[in-house]
Amino acid sequence: LLRIEEELGPQASYAGEGFMRAGLNATPLSGNLEVTNVPTQPIEGQKPGTSGLRKKTKVFMEGNYLHNFVQSVFNALAAEKVPVEGGTLVVSGDGRFWNPEAIQIIIRIALANGVKRVWCG
């Protein structure tokens, strides 16, 4: 989220000091961020189970593995007519290896899909 705030500068704002003291923040996302289309292919074995994808971190780091999965979630939401555009995304992780990078990827894809606000914990 810090990288997003740096890019947006004064356009980024918080929900209030109470949120910051509690360790939570909300940043309305706006500005001119470029959206690009990246051609991709389905990835063998990439389907969630009852506990998520259950893959090693190294697998998520390869190619567009995480990107494909996250975009497929947004595609499924759109197919079900879930109002994503202008909405809010809550994203977090357990803080393990590659977590900050994965969250940045998820935030970028969310922005490209029209999400207006991200809560990052």
Side-chain angles (χ1 to χ4, degrees):
L1 189 56
L2 292 176
R3 291 183 200 154
I4 297 287
E5 291 173 1
E6 289 169 3
E7 288 177 18
L8 295 177
Q11 294 175 351
S13 65
Y14 291 97
E17 288 188 33
F19 286 101
M20 303 231 357
R21 282 193 298 274
L24 301 173
N25 61 37
T27 304
L29 303 173
S30 63
N32 297 322
L33 301 175
E34 185 178 331
V35 176
T36 57
N37 290 316
V38 178
T40 187
Q41 297 286 330
I43 298 172
E44 184 69 31
Q46 189 177 45
K47 61 181 181 176
T50 57
S51 299
L53 288 175
R54 306 301 290 171
K55 300 288 183 184
K56 299 279 187 191
T57 302
K58 183 179 178 185
V59 174
F60 278 93
M61 295 171 69
E62 294 173 350
N64 290 323
Y65 194 91
L66 177 61
H67 304 71
N68 280 11
F69 180 69
V70 172
Q71 184 58 53
S72 74
V73 170
F74 281 104
N75 291 352
L77 291 170
E80 293 298 318
K81 310 245 185 295
V82 175
V84 171
E85 193 164 330
T88 300
L89 172 74
V90 178
V91 63
S92 186
D94 60 11
R96 291 189 237 184
F97 180 71
W98 206 62
N99 200 104
E101 294 84 356
I103 288 175
Q104 289 293 320
I105 290 167
I106 293 166
I107 290 171
R108 286 187 196 108
I109 293 172
L111 292 173
N113 281 276
V115 169
K116 192 72 169 173
R117 181 182 303 259
V118 174
W119 287 65
C120 185

